[in-house]
Amino acid sequence: TLYSIDGDGCASLPGGDCIASLNHPDDYGNEETCTILFHRDATVRVEQPFSLETCCDDLAINNTAAELNVDSPEDVPARLAAGSTLTWRSDDSGTEAGWKLCFAALPTPAPPLPSPPPSPPLQPPPPPSKERADCAEEIRSPGCFVERVFRRCPRSCRAAGYEEPSPSPSPEPSPEP
């Protein structure tokens, strides 16, 4: 709901987007009062005729920041914030054509997205496991140790980023002198 009305001195018109003093565009009556509370931000459009007995009848808009006494269409703000009120009161003598204001709800802003959880603090890498250290040491060693290491711990060696070396060709037997 864009607004709610308290009192019987004004009326929500068919369609629900306009409110007017009673009888608008004909003269309103004496001792009429109402208060409109806005539940959402809205734009405001003034419809003609707009005529008040400025000495004695009051149309006041409290736009959450300041209260405005409205005597003419130019005094009506273009926007109202949620929580704003419009209060109308006519005295016991003299009447005019009154007022008619039309409203359009402004889109409700999307709620902010939740903040991502904080990143965990950076931790130093864990010390190498005994098995991984052995593989690394053995891999750097020449000859048959490489083959033994990969038979003994191939998963951890590969996980450590070491690749199994390609077998090197066997040396040719040298001729005997």
Side-chain angles (χ1 to χ4, degrees), residues 66-114:
E67 184 163 334
L68 309 167
N69 288 316
V70 178
D71 292 325
S72 69
E74 293 77 29
D75 297 334
V76 177
R79 296 171 72 134
L80 293 174
S84 296
T85 57
L86 185 149
T87 305
W88 164 243
R89 184 190 66 77
S90 64
D91 71 353
D92 62 359
S93 66
T95 61
E96 298 284 337
W99 53 271
K100 178 180 177 183
L101 303 175
C102 298
F103 310 97
L106 292 170
T108 303
L113 295 174

Side-chain angles (χ1 to χ4, degrees), residues 131-170:
E131 185 178 59
R132 183 179 248 164
D134 289 347
C135 291
E137 185 180 307
E138 300 273 335
I139 288 171
R140 288 190 204 109
S141 301
C144 63
F145 290 111
V146 171
E147 292 174 25
R148 274 195 242 149
V149 168
F150 276 97
R151 274 190 234 126
R152 193 175 74 204
C153 57
R155 279 191 205 123
S156 62
C157 290
R158 286 189 186 100
Y162 298 109
E163 295 295 323
E164 189 167 3
S166 303
S168 52
S170 303

